[in-house]
Amino acid sequence: MNRSTQQKAAHVTTRRLLDMKQNGEKIAMLTAYDYTMARILDRAGVDVLLVGDSASNVFAGHSTTLPITIEEMIYHAKAVVRGVHDESGRAMVVIDMPFMSYQLSSEEALRNAGKIMKEHECDAVKLEGGRVIADTVKRITDVGIPVMGHLGLMPQSIYKYGSYRVRAQEEREAEQLLEDAKIIEEAGAFAIVLEKIPSALAVEVTRSLTIPTIGIGAGVACDGQVLVINDILGLNREFHPRFVRQYADLNTVIEDAARQYVEDVREANFPSPEESY
Ligand code: KIV
């Protein structure tokens, strides 16, 4: 690790996120899957970079997050950690534990969480689930590995839900989610992602917890927000859910640049004498 002492001091830690909640400072989190993007996002001041298993969708082209493997997550995570270390070293890097890398037993979950921490030098792992994974969260945090929880719409359970609709709209599911959030906090998690739930419920969960909530489609009251980087950059023309704010249209920028390049090559306008040896 080549962070200077000064850079290390600025590195976002679990303690810092807790302080941010207490001080009412919002936490900005984005996904990242590669070295170049991690450097740009760290430079931009993003507090937390999530190496999301959404890499399965946006990087590998699968229709769900389920197919991505632990080895593939390790590949993405190493690149992101390298990017942050080579930039300011400020952003916290959290790695999603992929489907079936933590559900079988607490022991296997601990082994895989340890493998992720050892191989990546990342800051934390993220697991989806409530009371069902509470023992696992406790086991992992007990050995010193920080865990971020994930409740509401949990993409690894998409086949159980049958759709990506908003979760916890009915009272029973909302009560269960609030209870699950408390259980996961009690088990030792340092933050919880709340995905696609009613804003009013996110307010209640955020007020009930000491640890920060990070929302995605959960309203402005959460202690922080997370979005998938490809979505905010407008890299996927077909995907426009209500909770995404698109900050750029890179799809058009990239397509135009590539078209121009193709034209230049075909017309022998590239390379010029200045671009040749
Ligand atoms: O995998 C992912 O990108 C996520 C975020 C959407 C929270 O879990």
Side-chain angles (χ1 to χ4, degrees):
M1 204 186 298
N2 56 7
R3 290 181 206 155
S4 71
T5 314
Q6 198 183 3
Q7 282 169 333
K8 270 184 184 169
H11 189 67
V12 176
T13 59
T14 55
R15 179 70 245 172
R16 170 82 186 114
L17 295 186
L18 206 57
D19 289 345
M20 285 174 84
K21 175 171 178 127
Q22 279 161 9
N23 301 335
E25 289 172 61
K26 295 281 189 183
I27 299 160
M29 172 162 142
L30 279 171
T31 66
Y33 315 103
D34 68 90
Y35 173 82
T36 304
M37 191 62 77
R39 289 193 71 173
I40 297 170
L41 301 183
D42 181 51
R43 209 181 306 145
V46 177
D47 300 304
V48 184
L49 292 184
L50 171 67
V51 184
D53 56 359
S54 50
S56 177
N57 307 90
V58 301
F59 223 88
H62 296 295
S63 60
T64 72
T65 57
L66 275 67
I68 200 158
T69 64
I70 196 154
E71 285 73 28
E72 287 166 338
M73 288 303 293
I74 285 172
Y75 171 81
H76 288 292
K78 279 182 173 168
V80 169
V81 168
R82 241 178 261 131
V84 170
H85 288 184
D86 283 356
E87 206 52 53
S88 77
R90 181 182 171 278
M92 165 187 276
V93 180
V94 179
I95 317 296
D96 255 337
M97 291 193 69
F99 180 61
M100 293 317 288
S101 68
Y102 61 94
Q103 289 93 339
L104 276 179
S105 70
S106 297
E107 199 169 306
E108 187 171 354
L110 180 57
R111 190 177 308 114
N112 284 328
K115 182 173 168 161
I116 287 171
M117 293 298 283
K118 251 181 162 10
E119 292 201 20
H120 303 151
E121 290 188 81
C122 66
D123 296 285
V125 294
K126 177 164 84 60
L127 278 67
E128 295 180 8
R131 64 200 69 195
V132 182
I133 60 154
D135 288 345
T136 298
V137 172
K138 180 159 174 25
R139 190 99 194 261
I140 296 174
T141 53
D142 276 354
V143 302
I145 300 173
V147 171
M148 179 178 277
H150 185 147
L151 294 169
L153 179 74
M154 294 177 280
Q156 292 178 12
S157 300
I158 190 59
Y159 288 109
K160 185 178 88 179
Y161 304 141
S163 88
Y164 285 97
R165 73 178 178 85
V166 178
R167 302 304 309 175
Q169 297 187 85
E170 299 82 30
E171 209 177 317
R172 229 184 97 245
E173 194 181 333
E175 278 168 9
Q176 193 173 336
L177 189 145
L178 181 58
E179 198 57 34
D180 279 340
K182 290 177 186 167
I183 290 170
I184 293 300
E185 173 176 67
E186 183 65 29
F190 71 92
I192 298 182
V193 167
L194 298 176
E195 179 162 353
K196 251 185 148 177
I197 62 167
S199 304
L201 176 59
V203 169
E204 211 179 335
V205 176
T206 302
R207 276 201 201 125
S208 307
L209 302 183
T210 314
I211 58 172
T213 58
I214 317 275
I216 172 164
V220 76
C222 294
D223 299 304
Q225 298 293 328
V226 57
L227 283 174
V228 169
I229 185 65
N230 295 50
D231 297 342
I232 76 161
L233 296 181
L235 279 165
N236 184 352
R237 256 194 198 138
E238 290 78 42
F239 189 65
H240 286 293
R242 175 172 162 164
F243 62 84
V244 169
R245 185 175 294 178
Q246 194 183 312
Y247 288 86
D249 180 9
L250 289 200
N251 194 313
T252 304
V253 171
I254 294 169
E255 201 175 311
D256 287 353
R259 267 185 218 289
Q260 188 60 58
Y261 170 75
V262 170
E263 200 181 305
D264 286 350
V265 169
R266 290 199 179 136
E267 291 176 5
N269 276 334
F270 175 83
S272 65
E274 293 75 29
E275 289 158 330
S276 306
Y277 298 99

